[in-house]
Amino acid sequence: MGTVFDVSGNSAYAPEGAYHIFAGKDASRALALSSLKAEDCRPDWEDLADKEKQVLNDWLTFFSKRYNIVGQVRR
């Protein structure tokens, strides 16, 4: 979705962390699919089913409440 969050204070996103795969990239598709696969960490999500889009929206809400927004990715 292009929103950049500052997750630097959470060790889960550090190189050895459980969610390191998401750090430094637009992982919209992976979040929508609940996937930790590197090939799913990409920005294209428009072709997903409505259910998956809702999951992505839920993640956006979660991140927005927990982390500061520091930017937007332009396409």
Side-chain angles (χ1 to χ4, degrees):
M1 299 189 92
T3 305
V4 180
F5 295 97
D6 179 4
V7 297
S8 61
N10 187 332
S11 62
Y13 297 95
E16 299 300 322
Y19 302 124
H20 73 278
I21 195 77
F22 300 137
K25 58 185 69 87
D26 185 336
S28 295
R29 187 175 198 86
L31 290 169
L33 297 173
S34 300
S35 171
L36 292 173
K37 296 178 183 175
E39 62 267 21
D40 289 332
C41 286
R42 56 184 206 252
D44 48 313
W45 54 268
E46 295 87 354
D47 64 324
L48 296 174
D50 287 343
K51 181 180 176 182
E52 293 160 333
K53 289 177 182 177
Q54 183 58 52
V55 170
L56 179 56
N57 192 56
D58 292 346
W59 276 115
L60 179 62
T61 299
F62 173 82
F63 279 103
S64 296
K65 290 178 180 178
R66 182 168 264 198
Y67 303 107
N68 292 325
I69 295 173
V70 294
Q72 287 290 128
V73 175
R74 294 187 192 187
R75 287 191 181 187

PDB file of all heavy atoms in Angstrom, residues 31-54:
ATOM      1  N   LEU A  31       1.858  -9.601   3.370  1.00  0.00           N
ATOM      2  CA  LEU A  31       0.989  -9.371   4.522  1.00  0.00           C
ATOM      3  C   LEU A  31      -0.440  -9.815   4.219  1.00  0.00           C
ATOM      4  O   LEU A  31      -1.079 -10.473   5.031  1.00  0.00           O
ATOM      5  CB  LEU A  31       1.025  -7.900   4.925  1.00  0.00           C
ATOM      6  CG  LEU A  31       2.337  -7.433   5.537  1.00  0.00           C
ATOM      7  CD1 LEU A  31       2.365  -5.913   5.649  1.00  0.00           C
ATOM      8  CD2 LEU A  31       2.577  -8.078   6.890  1.00  0.00           C
ATOM      9  N   ALA A  32      -0.933  -9.484   3.044  1.00  0.00           N
ATOM     10  CA  ALA A  32      -2.293  -9.865   2.659  1.00  0.00           C
ATOM     11  C   ALA A  32      -2.455 -11.379   2.617  1.00  0.00           C
ATOM     12  O   ALA A  32      -3.514 -11.910   2.956  1.00  0.00           O
ATOM     13  CB  ALA A  32      -2.644  -9.260   1.307  1.00  0.00           C
ATOM     14  N   LEU A  33      -1.397 -12.072   2.201  1.00  0.00           N
ATOM     15  CA  LEU A  33      -1.429 -13.529   2.086  1.00  0.00           C
ATOM     16  C   LEU A  33      -0.982 -14.234   3.371  1.00  0.00           C
ATOM     17  O   LEU A  33      -0.954 -15.466   3.418  1.00  0.00           O
ATOM     18  CB  LEU A  33      -0.533 -13.983   0.931  1.00  0.00           C
ATOM     19  CG  LEU A  33      -0.928 -13.506  -0.467  1.00  0.00           C
ATOM     20  CD1 LEU A  33       0.151 -13.884  -1.468  1.00  0.00           C
ATOM     21  CD2 LEU A  33      -2.283 -14.075  -0.864  1.00  0.00           C
ATOM     22  N   SER A  34      -0.595 -13.461   4.381  1.00  0.00           N
ATOM     23  CA  SER A  34      -0.035 -14.022   5.620  1.00  0.00           C
ATOM     24  C   SER A  34       1.143 -14.945   5.297  1.00  0.00           C
ATOM     25  O   SER A  34       1.245 -16.049   5.808  1.00  0.00           O
ATOM     26  CB  SER A  34      -1.115 -14.771   6.414  1.00  0.00           C
ATOM     27  OG  SER A  34      -2.166 -13.909   6.759  1.00  0.00           O
ATOM     28  N   SER A  35       2.020 -14.443   4.452  1.00  0.00           N
ATOM     29  CA  SER A  35       3.147 -15.223   3.948  1.00  0.00           C
ATOM     30  C   SER A  35       4.479 -14.657   4.420  1.00  0.00           C
ATOM     31  O   SER A  35       4.664 -13.445   4.477  1.00  0.00           O
ATOM     32  CB  SER A  35       3.117 -15.218   2.413  1.00  0.00           C
ATOM     33  OG  SER A  35       4.285 -15.787   1.880  1.00  0.00           O
ATOM     34  N   LEU A  36       5.396 -15.540   4.725  1.00  0.00           N
ATOM     35  CA  LEU A  36       6.772 -15.151   5.053  1.00  0.00           C
ATOM     36  C   LEU A  36       7.725 -15.509   3.914  1.00  0.00           C
ATOM     37  O   LEU A  36       8.943 -15.505   4.096  1.00  0.00           O
ATOM     38  CB  LEU A  36       7.224 -15.826   6.346  1.00  0.00           C
ATOM     39  CG  LEU A  36       6.530 -15.354   7.618  1.00  0.00           C
ATOM     40  CD1 LEU A  36       6.949 -16.214   8.811  1.00  0.00           C
ATOM     41  CD2 LEU A  36       6.815 -13.890   7.890  1.00  0.00           C
ATOM     42  N   LYS A  37       7.207 -15.805   2.747  1.00  0.00           N
ATOM     43  CA  LYS A  37       8.031 -16.151   1.585  1.00  0.00           C
ATOM     44  C   LYS A  37       8.582 -14.883   0.938  1.00  0.00           C
ATOM     45  O   LYS A  37       7.842 -13.923   0.706  1.00  0.00           O
ATOM     46  CB  LYS A  37       7.205 -16.916   0.556  1.00  0.00           C
ATOM     47  CG  LYS A  37       6.703 -18.251   1.032  1.00  0.00           C
ATOM     48  CD  LYS A  37       5.860 -18.904  -0.042  1.00  0.00           C
ATOM     49  CE  LYS A  37       5.275 -20.218   0.430  1.00  0.00           C
ATOM     50  NZ  LYS A  37       4.365 -20.777  -0.592  1.00  0.00           N
ATOM     51  N   ALA A  38       9.872 -14.907   0.634  1.00  0.00           N
ATOM     52  CA  ALA A  38      10.523 -13.743   0.023  1.00  0.00           C
ATOM     53  C   ALA A  38       9.850 -13.345  -1.283  1.00  0.00           C
ATOM     54  O   ALA A  38       9.704 -12.149  -1.573  1.00  0.00           O
ATOM     55  CB  ALA A  38      12.005 -14.041  -0.207  1.00  0.00           C
ATOM     56  N   GLU A  39       9.423 -14.306  -2.069  1.00  0.00           N
ATOM     57  CA  GLU A  39       8.806 -13.990  -3.368  1.00  0.00           C
ATOM     58  C   GLU A  39       7.454 -13.282  -3.235  1.00  0.00           C
ATOM     59  O   GLU A  39       6.974 -12.672  -4.187  1.00  0.00           O
ATOM     60  CB  GLU A  39       8.662 -15.242  -4.244  1.00  0.00           C
ATOM     61  CG  GLU A  39       7.779 -16.320  -3.665  1.00  0.00           C
ATOM     62  CD  GLU A  39       8.521 -17.371  -2.851  1.00  0.00           C
ATOM     63  OE1 GLU A  39       9.644 -17.112  -2.384  1.00  0.00           O
ATOM     64  OE2 GLU A  39       7.952 -18.463  -2.688  1.00  0.00           O
ATOM     65  N   ASP A  40       6.851 -13.351  -2.053  1.00  0.00           N
ATOM     66  CA  ASP A  40       5.577 -12.663  -1.836  1.00  0.00           C
ATOM     67  C   ASP A  40       5.765 -11.239  -1.320  1.00  0.00           C
ATOM     68  O   ASP A  40       4.803 -10.473  -1.258  1.00  0.00           O
ATOM     69  CB  ASP A  40       4.698 -13.442  -0.847  1.00  0.00           C
ATOM     70  CG  ASP A  40       4.159 -14.730  -1.445  1.00  0.00           C
ATOM     71  OD1 ASP A  40       3.985 -14.782  -2.679  1.00  0.00           O
ATOM     72  OD2 ASP A  40       3.915 -15.671  -0.672  1.00  0.00           O
ATOM     73  N   CYS A  41       6.981 -10.866  -0.966  1.00  0.00           N
ATOM     74  CA  CYS A  41       7.263  -9.509  -0.467  1.00  0.00           C
ATOM     75  C   CYS A  41       7.404  -8.563  -1.645  1.00  0.00           C
ATOM     76  O   CYS A  41       8.508  -8.239  -2.093  1.00  0.00           O
ATOM     77  CB  CYS A  41       8.524  -9.494   0.389  1.00  0.00           C
ATOM     78  SG  CYS A  41       8.261 -10.226   2.000  1.00  0.00           S
ATOM     79  N   ARG A  42       6.261  -8.157  -2.144  1.00  0.00           N
ATOM     80  CA  ARG A  42       6.228  -7.245  -3.285  1.00  0.00           C
ATOM     81  C   ARG A  42       4.985  -6.369  -3.167  1.00  0.00           C
ATOM     82  O   ARG A  42       4.038  -6.712  -2.459  1.00  0.00           O
ATOM     83  CB  ARG A  42       6.279  -8.003  -4.597  1.00  0.00           C
ATOM     84  CG  ARG A  42       5.212  -9.033  -4.792  1.00  0.00           C
ATOM     85  CD  ARG A  42       5.457  -9.789  -6.109  1.00  0.00           C
ATOM     86  NE  ARG A  42       4.235 -10.311  -6.634  1.00  0.00           N
ATOM     87  CZ  ARG A  42       3.915 -11.607  -6.639  1.00  0.00           C
ATOM     88  NH1 ARG A  42       4.752 -12.486  -6.141  1.00  0.00           N
ATOM     89  NH2 ARG A  42       2.781 -12.004  -7.157  1.00  0.00           N
ATOM     90  N   PRO A  43       4.979  -5.250  -3.861  1.00  0.00           N
ATOM     91  CA  PRO A  43       3.906  -4.280  -3.669  1.00  0.00           C
ATOM     92  C   PRO A  43       2.580  -4.602  -4.350  1.00  0.00           C
ATOM     93  O   PRO A  43       1.563  -4.023  -3.980  1.00  0.00           O
ATOM     94  CB  PRO A  43       4.498  -2.989  -4.237  1.00  0.00           C
ATOM     95  CG  PRO A  43       5.512  -3.430  -5.218  1.00  0.00           C
ATOM     96  CD  PRO A  43       6.062  -4.725  -4.676  1.00  0.00           C
ATOM     97  N   ASP A  44       2.552  -5.470  -5.320  1.00  0.00           N
ATOM     98  CA  ASP A  44       1.302  -5.690  -6.051  1.00  0.00           C
ATOM     99  C   ASP A  44       0.298  -6.523  -5.256  1.00  0.00           C
ATOM    100  O   ASP A  44       0.574  -7.645  -4.876  1.00  0.00           O
ATOM    101  CB  ASP A  44       1.562  -6.301  -7.428  1.00  0.00           C
ATOM    102  CG  ASP A  44       2.502  -7.492  -7.395  1.00  0.00           C
ATOM    103  OD1 ASP A  44       3.543  -7.370  -6.743  1.00  0.00           O
ATOM    104  OD2 ASP A  44       2.185  -8.526  -8.008  1.00  0.00           O
ATOM    105  N   TRP A  45      -0.840  -5.913  -4.994  1.00  0.00           N
ATOM    106  CA  TRP A  45      -1.885  -6.550  -4.211  1.00  0.00           C
ATOM    107  C   TRP A  45      -3.266  -6.358  -4.832  1.00  0.00           C
ATOM    108  O   TRP A  45      -4.239  -6.974  -4.401  1.00  0.00           O
ATOM    109  CB  TRP A  45      -1.906  -5.983  -2.790  1.00  0.00           C
ATOM    110  CG  TRP A  45      -2.021  -4.488  -2.752  1.00  0.00           C
ATOM    111  CD1 TRP A  45      -0.987  -3.602  -2.719  1.00  0.00           C
ATOM    112  CD2 TRP A  45      -3.220  -3.707  -2.797  1.00  0.00           C
ATOM    113  NE1 TRP A  45      -1.464  -2.307  -2.732  1.00  0.00           N
ATOM    114  CE2 TRP A  45      -2.847  -2.353  -2.781  1.00  0.00           C
ATOM    115  CE3 TRP A  45      -4.573  -4.019  -2.846  1.00  0.00           C
ATOM    116  CZ2 TRP A  45      -3.767  -1.307  -2.818  1.00  0.00           C
ATOM    117  CZ3 TRP A  45      -5.494  -2.979  -2.879  1.00  0.00           C
ATOM    118  CH2 TRP A  45      -5.088  -1.646  -2.864  1.00  0.00           C
ATOM    119  N   GLU A  46      -3.357  -5.526  -5.866  1.00  0.00           N
ATOM    120  CA  GLU A  46      -4.646  -5.173  -6.453  1.00  0.00           C
ATOM    121  C   GLU A  46      -5.413  -6.369  -7.013  1.00  0.00           C
ATOM    122  O   GLU A  46      -6.636  -6.351  -7.076  1.00  0.00           O
ATOM    123  CB  GLU A  46      -4.472  -4.114  -7.547  1.00  0.00           C
ATOM    124  CG  GLU A  46      -3.972  -2.773  -7.037  1.00  0.00           C
ATOM    125  CD  GLU A  46      -2.460  -2.672  -6.958  1.00  0.00           C
ATOM    126  OE1 GLU A  46      -1.756  -3.679  -7.192  1.00  0.00           O
ATOM    127  OE2 GLU A  46      -1.975  -1.586  -6.633  1.00  0.00           O
ATOM    128  N   ASP A  47      -4.714  -7.428  -7.405  1.00  0.00           N
ATOM    129  CA  ASP A  47      -5.367  -8.594  -8.004  1.00  0.00           C
ATOM    130  C   ASP A  47      -5.847  -9.618  -6.967  1.00  0.00           C
ATOM    131  O   ASP A  47      -6.430 -10.637  -7.330  1.00  0.00           O
ATOM    132  CB  ASP A  47      -4.412  -9.284  -8.983  1.00  0.00           C
ATOM    133  CG  ASP A  47      -3.180  -9.854  -8.302  1.00  0.00           C
ATOM    134  OD1 ASP A  47      -2.676  -9.230  -7.345  1.00  0.00           O
ATOM    135  OD2 ASP A  47      -2.703 -10.916  -8.737  1.00  0.00           O
ATOM    136  N   LEU A  48      -5.640  -9.342  -5.705  1.00  0.00           N
ATOM    137  CA  LEU A  48      -6.018 -10.287  -4.661  1.00  0.00           C
ATOM    138  C   LEU A  48      -7.528 -10.275  -4.419  1.00  0.00           C
ATOM    139  O   LEU A  48      -8.227  -9.308  -4.738  1.00  0.00           O
ATOM    140  CB  LEU A  48      -5.291  -9.949  -3.363  1.00  0.00           C
ATOM    141  CG  LEU A  48      -3.769 -10.069  -3.402  1.00  0.00           C
ATOM    142  CD1 LEU A  48      -3.166  -9.567  -2.103  1.00  0.00           C
ATOM    143  CD2 LEU A  48      -3.351 -11.504  -3.675  1.00  0.00           C
ATOM    144  N   ALA A  49      -8.015 -11.338  -3.826  1.00  0.00           N
ATOM    145  CA  ALA A  49      -9.431 -11.451  -3.473  1.00  0.00           C
ATOM    146  C   ALA A  49      -9.788 -10.440  -2.383  1.00  0.00           C
ATOM    147  O   ALA A  49      -8.920  -9.986  -1.632  1.00  0.00           O
ATOM    148  CB  ALA A  49      -9.734 -12.872  -2.994  1.00  0.00           C
ATOM    149  N   ASP A  50     -11.052 -10.115  -2.292  1.00  0.00           N
ATOM    150  CA  ASP A  50     -11.510  -9.144  -1.292  1.00  0.00           C
ATOM    151  C   ASP A  50     -11.129  -9.562   0.127  1.00  0.00           C
ATOM    152  O   ASP A  50     -10.776  -8.712   0.949  1.00  0.00           O
ATOM    153  CB  ASP A  50     -13.024  -8.954  -1.380  1.00  0.00           C
ATOM    154  CG  ASP A  50     -13.435  -8.167  -2.615  1.00  0.00           C
ATOM    155  OD1 ASP A  50     -12.574  -7.498  -3.223  1.00  0.00           O
ATOM    156  OD2 ASP A  50     -14.633  -8.214  -2.969  1.00  0.00           O
ATOM    157  N   LYS A  51     -11.184 -10.843   0.419  1.00  0.00           N
ATOM    158  CA  LYS A  51     -10.814 -11.335   1.744  1.00  0.00           C
ATOM    159  C   LYS A  51      -9.356 -10.995   2.060  1.00  0.00           C
ATOM    160  O   LYS A  51      -9.029 -10.559   3.162  1.00  0.00           O
ATOM    161  CB  LYS A  51     -11.038 -12.838   1.818  1.00  0.00           C
ATOM    162  CG  LYS A  51     -10.705 -13.451   3.155  1.00  0.00           C
ATOM    163  CD  LYS A  51     -10.956 -14.942   3.167  1.00  0.00           C
ATOM    164  CE  LYS A  51     -10.532 -15.546   4.491  1.00  0.00           C
ATOM    165  NZ  LYS A  51     -10.707 -16.985   4.528  1.00  0.00           N
ATOM    166  N   GLU A  52      -8.481 -11.192   1.091  1.00  0.00           N
ATOM    167  CA  GLU A  52      -7.060 -10.891   1.288  1.00  0.00           C
ATOM    168  C   GLU A  52      -6.819  -9.394   1.383  1.00  0.00           C
ATOM    169  O   GLU A  52      -5.965  -8.935   2.146  1.00  0.00           O
ATOM    170  CB  GLU A  52      -6.242 -11.523   0.163  1.00  0.00           C
ATOM    171  CG  GLU A  52      -6.272 -13.041   0.235  1.00  0.00           C
ATOM    172  CD  GLU A  52      -5.918 -13.720  -1.064  1.00  0.00           C
ATOM    173  OE1 GLU A  52      -6.131 -13.133  -2.144  1.00  0.00           O
ATOM    174  OE2 GLU A  52      -5.437 -14.873  -0.998  1.00  0.00           O
ATOM    175  N   LYS A  53      -7.577  -8.622   0.631  1.00  0.00           N
ATOM    176  CA  LYS A  53      -7.468  -7.161   0.730  1.00  0.00           C
ATOM    177  C   LYS A  53      -7.885  -6.694   2.119  1.00  0.00           C
ATOM    178  O   LYS A  53      -7.303  -5.751   2.654  1.00  0.00           O
ATOM    179  CB  LYS A  53      -8.316  -6.489  -0.343  1.00  0.00           C
ATOM    180  CG  LYS A  53      -7.754  -6.660  -1.735  1.00  0.00           C
ATOM    181  CD  LYS A  53      -8.657  -6.030  -2.778  1.00  0.00           C
ATOM    182  CE  LYS A  53      -8.116  -6.255  -4.176  1.00  0.00           C
ATOM    183  NZ  LYS A  53      -9.029  -5.709  -5.195  1.00  0.00           N
ATOM    184  N   GLN A  54      -8.866  -7.348   2.701  1.00  0.00           N
ATOM    185  CA  GLN A  54      -9.290  -6.999   4.057  1.00  0.00           C
ATOM    186  C   GLN A  54      -8.189  -7.332   5.068  1.00  0.00           C
ATOM    187  O   GLN A  54      -7.944  -6.578   5.998  1.00  0.00           O
ATOM    188  CB  GLN A  54     -10.586  -7.705   4.440  1.00  0.00           C
ATOM    189  CG  GLN A  54     -11.100  -7.322   5.819  1.00  0.00           C
ATOM    190  CD  GLN A  54     -11.341  -5.825   5.973  1.00  0.00           C
ATOM    191  OE1 GLN A  54     -12.031  -5.225   5.155  1.00  0.00           O
ATOM    192  NE2 GLN A  54     -10.754  -5.219   7.000  1.00  0.00           N
TER     193      GLN A  54
END
